[in-house]
Amino acid sequence: MEETIEVRKISRKTYIYMAIIALLGIVIFYLSEQGKSGKAQKILAELGYKNTTHVEVYSVTQFENVDTKIQGYKYFVTFNDIDTNQECKGFIAKDFKHNVIKDLTCKQK
């Protein structure tokens, strides 16, 4: 009654392919996160926050102004402003006509 089931082993090439795909996924994720924070830092520089650190972008959403029908992107961010020694959070937005909007609350560290 004893049946032995033969199991086929996964080849070494398959493990190499899986490792390469996982590494590419990690690299692409890192680059996309750096791209988001870089765009947010440029918008913050336009708003007057020139010296910032620890810029974290939590989400990016596309929006449309109902009155003017102009579309843009809204970034939900937290960052540290070194000049005023404050920790700020909120959202910043930039539309396709290069208008910038902010709704940030800052508190002392």
Side-chain angles (χ1 to χ4, degrees), residues 46-92:
E46 288 180 27
L47 289 170
Y49 296 99
K50 303 269 187 222
N51 200 1
T52 59
T53 60
H54 302 294
V55 177
E56 280 190 48
V57 178
Y58 290 104
S59 70
V60 179
T61 58
Q62 191 171 4
F63 74 96
E64 180 178 22
N65 189 342
V66 179
D67 299 331
T68 60
K69 303 289 186 202
I70 297 174
Q71 296 179 349
Y73 288 101
K74 185 187 291 188
Y75 298 86
F76 294 93
V77 297
T78 61
F79 64 94
N80 294 332
D81 189 8
I82 296 174
D83 294 336
T84 60
N85 197 22
Q86 291 181 337
E87 185 175 324
C88 301
K89 64 181 176 179
F91 76 86
I92 54 176

Side-chain angles (χ1 to χ4, degrees), residues 9-65:
K9 290 186 175 185
I10 298 176
S11 69
R12 187 174 289 168
K13 282 200 311 190
T14 305
Y15 284 121
I16 293 171
Y17 292 148
M18 289 190 312
I20 290 172
I21 290 172
L23 186 63
L24 282 175
I26 292 169
V27 168
I28 289 171
F29 176 76
Y30 177 75
L31 289 176
S32 69
E33 290 298 316
Q34 290 299 316
K36 286 181 198 177
S37 64
K39 288 179 185 178
Q41 277 186 326
K42 286 180 184 177
I43 296 171
L44 286 170
E46 288 180 27
L47 289 170
Y49 296 99
K50 303 269 187 222
N51 200 1
T52 59
T53 60
H54 302 294
V55 177
E56 280 190 48
V57 178
Y58 290 104
S59 70
V60 179
T61 58
Q62 191 171 4
F63 74 96
E64 180 178 22
N65 189 342

